[in-house]
Amino acid sequence: QITLKESGPTLVKPTQTLTLTCTFSGFSLSTSGVGVAWIRQPPGKALEWLALIYWDDDKRYSPSLKSRLTITKDTPNDLVVLTMTNMDPVDTATYYCAHRPIAVAGADAFDFWGQGTMVTVSS
Amino acid sequence: SYELSQPSSVSVSPGQTASITCSGDKLGNKYASWYQQKPGQSPVLVISQDFKRPSGIPERFSGSNSGNTATLTISGTQAMDEADYYCQAWDSSTVVFGGGTKLTVL
């Protein structure tokens, strides 16, 4: 059974750096084809993809946020970390991590999601 | 950057068929996925690779993708299907989500 859980601060100040951790079980990021993504959702708004890391350490980022994001993995400990620099109130959102199963190229989808963690950016 | 457009809302009567569209340039040449999100819950994948239903997703959910439009169809819509629905595709090594459609069952 695949599970994921996000953790991190609930409140950050403007200009600070946000660090979120996704702890997962039921799969390994050493398995060929597997990945973990971060997706966020501002209150009352749509989903927005942020970043994706694959089993081979290939990384993809949202073009609009690429300069502020870093995604890394710790395979032995089954976790993925996302850092976002220079936080702003518009970054207030629920942040989700999700599992990307083995799939053909270009067929990336996310079949298991964490419960999400709400992050508020305010001074 | 690539964009996916969805109607903001769709209404359907119980037992009828609901169709939710997702439009993007040459979307039919890409794979489309669909997610259901109920209030206060995480999204759930209901369709991947245009038409594949993950385990546990009812057969009333189906998908198609051709030309510039992907469509999520819910046959025999039930009250429990009332939710927000998001389409998603992969373009130029990035993931793109649509703006979401609120499905109302009334």
Side-chain angles (χ1 to χ4, degrees):
Chain A
Q1 180 187 359
I2 290 176
T3 63
L4 305 98
K5 186 173 184 179
E6 307 85 355
S7 60
T10 58
L11 179 66
V12 297
K13 291 180 167 46
T15 75
Q16 287 187 335
T17 294
L18 172 68
T19 299
L20 295 173
T21 301
C22 176
T23 305
F24 56 84
S25 63
F27 69 96
S28 173
L29 260 178
S30 63
T31 301
S32 178
V34 170
V36 171
W38 284 95
I39 296 136
R40 72 178 179 180
Q41 185 173 39
K45 296 189 177 181
L47 300 171
E48 179 184 19
W49 172 73
L50 300 176
L52 172 57
I53 189 165
Y54 293 96
W55 82 102
D56 59 358
D57 209 35
D58 188 16
K59 303 168 187 178
R60 306 294 181 192
Y61 295 101
S62 165
S64 63
L65 293 167
K66 184 175 183 177
S67 63
R68 299 173 53 205
L69 296 173
T70 303
I71 189 169
T72 60
K73 63 182 177 71
D74 180 345
T75 303
N77 292 303
D78 290 338
L79 60 87
V80 170
V81 175
L82 180 77
T83 61
M84 179 180 290
T85 62
N86 194 25
M87 293 293 285
D88 183 272
V90 299
D91 297 313
T92 294
T94 296
Y95 287 74
Y96 297 98
C97 61
H99 172 259
R100 187 266 191 189
I102 298 168
V104 299
D108 294 71
F110 309 108
D111 59 351
F112 290 92
W113 294 60
Q115 64 190 25
T117 186
M118 178 66 192
V119 178
T120 300
V121 184
S122 175
S123 55
Chain B
S1 62
Y2 194 77
E3 293 185 357
L4 295 174
S5 298
Q6 300 180 236
S8 58
S9 63
V10 169
S11 297
V12 63
S13 299
Q16 298 304 301
T17 297
S19 295
I20 300 173
T21 58
C22 175
S23 299
D25 185 45
K26 298 182 176 67
L27 180 57
N29 293 341
K30 309 176 192 299
Y31 287 113
S33 299
W34 291 89
Y35 301 85
Q36 175 194 70
Q37 187 180 32
K38 296 181 179 180
Q41 298 184 17
S42 301
V44 173
L45 180 67
V46 295
I47 293 289
S48 67
Q49 295 185 48
D50 297 338
F51 60 85
K52 295 184 178 181
R53 270 180 300 104
S55 174
I57 301 302
E59 290 185 9
R60 65 180 181 272
F61 288 87
S62 63
S64 63
N65 186 13
S66 180
N68 294 321
T69 304
T71 303
L72 173 69
T73 302
I74 309 172
S75 305
T77 307
Q78 300 182 10
M80 68 172 65
D81 300 327
E82 186 163 286
D84 293 328
Y85 291 85
Y86 295 91
C87 61
Q88 174 249 308
W90 173 264
D91 176 76
S92 300
S93 301
T94 64
V95 174
V96 181
F97 283 98
T101 298
K102 181 175 181 58
L103 177 68
T104 301
V105 182
L106 38 71

